[in-house]
Amino acid sequence: FKVGAVMLVGLFFYDIFFVFGTDVMETVARSIDGPIKLLFPRKVIIESSKDLSLLGLGDIVIPGIFISLCLRYDFLRTFDKNTPLENRTYEQVIKKFESINKPYFWS
């Protein structure tokens, strides 16, 4: 978890530097016309491309992968090392997960 959190913080500052410190990211993102960016309107009436906010798909995917890996790690940690492998089934994990009163994440 610590390594993943450090990597996310590093990617956060990397993203800030290349988005606001240089024009590399914006130039590349605006020149590519593909499904790697999300455009949101800043105004109700869009007159030019400057009226759109750009969100890169990596800003959504990387934290999502981190959250899913944390969830998988939590699932594997529900069983201690003494639990036999045949009892580490998906059904046992779901049974254990459903026994928690307030799960923080469900996928």
Side-chain angles (χ1 to χ4, degrees), residues 45-105:
I45 299 173
I46 300 171
E47 297 172 357
S48 70
S49 63
K50 294 193 182 245
D51 295 336
L52 296 171
S53 292
L54 178 74
L55 179 66
L57 198 57
D59 296 331
I60 299 169
V61 171
I62 299 298
I65 290 172
F66 179 69
I67 290 171
S68 67
L69 289 175
C70 285
L71 179 63
R72 181 170 174 82
Y73 178 74
D74 282 348
F75 273 167
L76 294 176
R77 293 284 298 189
T78 58
F79 301 107
D80 58 2
K81 293 180 182 177
N82 298 328
T83 305
L85 286 177
E86 55 270 1
N87 290 342
R88 297 183 188 188
T89 62
Y90 181 74
E91 289 79 20
Q92 293 292 330
V93 170
I94 294 298
K95 183 178 173 185
K96 179 82 169 176
F97 190 71
E98 288 175 347
S99 68
I100 300 170
N101 290 335
K102 293 184 179 184
Y104 62 92
F105 192 109

Side-chain angles (χ1 to χ4, degrees), residues 1-9 66 70 73:
F1 178 77
K2 292 177 185 176
V3 173
V6 168
M7 288 182 68
L8 277 180
V9 169
F66 179 69
C70 285
Y73 178 74

